[in-house]
Amino acid sequence: MKFEIARDRLLDGLSDVMKAVSSKAAIPILTGIKLDVDEEGLHLTGSDSDITIQTFIPAEENGEQLIRTSQSGSIVLQAKYFNEIVRKLPTNDIEIEVSGHLQTHIRSGKSEFHLIGSDAEDYPQLPEIDDDRHFAIPADLLKSIIRETVFAVSASESRPILTGVHWQVQEGELVCVATDSHRLARRKTRLENAPEDDYSVVIPGKSLQELNKILGDSNEPVGITMSNKQVLFRAGHVLFYSRLLEGNYPDTSRLIPSEYKTDIYVNGKTLLQSIDRASLLAREERNNVVRFTADGSNVVEISSNSPEIGKVEEQVETASVEGEELKISFSAKYMMDALRAIEGQDIVIRFTGAMRPFILKSAEDDTLLQLILPVRTY
Amino acid sequence: MKFEIARDRLLDGLSDVMKAVSSKAAIPILTGIKLDVDEEGLHLTGSDSDITIQTFIPAEENGEQLIRTSQSGSIVLQAKYFNEIVRKLPTNDIEIEVSGHLQTHIRSGKSEFHLIGSDAEDYPQLPEIDDDRHFAIPADLLKSIIRETVFAVSASESRPILTGVHWQVQEGELVCVATDSHRLARRKTRLENAPEDDYSVVIPGKSLQELNKILGDSNEPVGITMSNKQVLFRAGHVLFYSRLLEGNYPDTSRLIPSEYKTDIYVNGKTLLQSIDRASLLAREERNNVVRFTADGSNVVEISSNSPEIGKVEEQVETASVEGEELKISFSAKYMMDALRAIEGQDIVIRFTGAMRPFILKSAEDDTLLQLILPVRTY
C-alpha cells in the first residue's frame, strides 16, 4: 500500500470515524482505524462493535486530485496515535506507505513516522443490511428529531430497552419515543416517500447522540435502512451503522392523559430561566425539586426551599391560565430538558392534577410532546 | 445592610475573589465571600488562608452611580450559591438586604432569593503588611515574569520550598528562579525605583498562577509589598495577598554551566513543533524522552522510539551549529515548556556534553534562561 493524500481531508475523515472508536474496545483491533485504499479513493473505518462508521475520501473531487494511489492495499493503525500524528504533521502533503511486516511509514516534510500496523484481514466485516427496507429524512430534520427525544432515554441499565429510542414507522409516519419511566419525549414526523412496510426498532441513545455529532445542518437526505439487528444511516460519503436493542419496547401510549384540568400558556424561555434559578438552591437535594403554583390568576409562582441554604420564590407572567388551581412539584432538570427540547417561544403545559403526569408542547404544533411525572411533596 | 448594585459590576468583582475560594476550605467560613458595604462602596473578600483576594467596587465611578447604599453592614455568603445566583438573576438591578438573624434577601425583577449568611465578625482579618518595603512592576511585565518561571516549580511536596518561585531583589534587579531539580527557569528584571533594601522571598507557584489570571494585560503598575510571611500585590482596586514559603531556597547558581562545548542557533517555534511530534510516540514511556543529535552539519535530528508502537525521525534546519558533535536525550515535556516560555523566534541552546545540564535562551537577550538536565539513555 502506498498513497499520497492532503492532510486536511484525511483529518476530516478521521474526525468522523474516530467517534466510533473507544479506547476500551473489547476486541484489541477495534482500538485501530482501518484504511483501504485503491485508485477510487480511501475508505476509513472505525468501530466499537455497537457503532461502526465508515467514510470515503474520493481520489478526485470537482476536478481536484485528493489522493494519488501508487499501490492499493489495507492496514489497521492505532487510532489514537494515527490521528494525533496526522494532526501535527508539518505540511499538508502526506505520504503513507506500508512495507513488509505491517511496517507503516508516514512522511510529511522532513518528518517520518514508522508505525507498527495490524493486519486488515483481522478487522471485523461491516454488518450486512438488505437495501429493500429504506426511507430518507433531511439531515437537519433528523438532527431535530434526535435532539428532541434522545435526552429522555434511561441512563440506567436496569431496563436496557429504555436506554434506546423507539422508532416506529406506520401509515407514512415516523413516531420516536424515549422514556426513562419518569418522563417521556415523543416526536411524530410525516414521511415523504414512506416505505410500505411497518417498522419498529429500538436504537441505542448513545448511537443517536454520536450520529447527531456527525450529521451536518444541511437538508441533504439521509438514507435510513433497517434490518432486524442493525440500522444504517447513509449521509453523503459517510455510512453509520448501529446495532439495535433487542426486546419489546413498552406500550407508552396509556401514559399520556386523555383529559386535562389546567392549561397554562406561557413563554418557554422565560419559564426555563425561572426554573433554572429556582433549581440553584435545590441541586444539593435528592431530586432537584421545584414547586409550581397556579392560583387562578395569570401569574404562576416557581419556588424551592433548601432548609440548610435558603429559599427562592419567583413570579412568572403567563399568557393565560385556564381551568383549576394547582400546586405541583417536579424535577427541575426534567422540566428544563423538556423546555429546551421544545425550544419554541409559546408553549402550553397541560395538567390533570398534582399527582398525575403532565405534558408540555408548542402552542402551535402537536408534533412534539414532552411528558413529566410529578414528585409527591404535599 | 441594604444596597442596590449593578449585576455586571458585582459579577466582575466576584470573578476576581472567587479565585481564592476553595470548596475544600479548612475553615468552614472560608467557603463564603465577605461583603462589606458602606457609602464609599462594596468590598468583596475571598480567601483559602494561603491566598486572600479583596476587591473594591466604588459607589460612584466616572460620574456613574454603581452602588446605592441605604444601610451599611457586612455579611458572609456561601460563595458557590451567591455567585451562581447573581449570574442568573433576571435583570441588571440587584438589591441585597440583610434582615435579622443573618437572613439575606437578594432581589431582582420578580425573583427573590433568601440565603442564610454567616456573621462577618467570624471571618479572618486581612494579613497585616508594613507598607515601607515596596516596589512596582507594570502588570504586563509581571505576567511575563510569572509565565516564564512558574511552570518550572516542583509539583511534588517532597521538598516544599521548591513548590515556590524564589524572588530576590538586589542591586536594583529582581531575579526570579524556579526549579523542580530536573530543570530550572531564571528571569532577571531591572527595576525602576528599586527599593534600597534587599529582599529574598519564596512565593508559592499556585499563588502566582492565580495572580496571573487576575492581572490585566495593561502596563498599569502593580504595587508589590513584602513582609516576612506575606506578599501583597496591589493592582487597581484589587488586593492580592499570598503567604510565603518558609525555609531557605537552595543556591542554584552553581547548577548553571560556566562554559559550553556546542552552541546551536535555531528557530524556537520550528524546534518546538518538531519536539511535539517526536513526543507523540514517547508519551506512554516513563520519561517522555526524545533524542537530539547534532553531527556537525547545520541539520539536527530529533527522534524517539517506542518499541511497542513505532518510531519517528525528523531533521530540523538550524541557523548554525558551533562546536562539538553531540548526542543527547531529554524530556520532551521540559523542552517544550522551556521553548514556550522563551517564545522568541531565534534561540540558542548551549550544551556542555551529553551528561551535563544545558541551557536555552533567546539569541538576542540574556534576561531569561532555561536549564534542563538531560536523561541518560546512551
Side-chain angles (χ1 to χ4, degrees), chain B residues 263-277:
Chain B
D263 285 355
I264 294 176
Y265 291 80
V266 64
N267 179 285
K269 196 175 160 203
T270 305
L271 182 61
L272 175 60
Q273 288 171 344
S274 171
I275 303 272
D276 191 13
R277 279 189 288 275

Side-chain angles (χ1 to χ4, degrees), chain A residues 213-233:
Chain A
K213 292 180 198 159
I214 287 183
L215 293 174
D217 276 319
S218 74
N219 59 2
E220 290 290 310
V222 177
I224 303 174
T225 313
M226 291 168 180
S227 76
N228 290 333
K229 300 200 164 172
Q230 291 276 340
V231 56
L232 164 61
F233 298 89

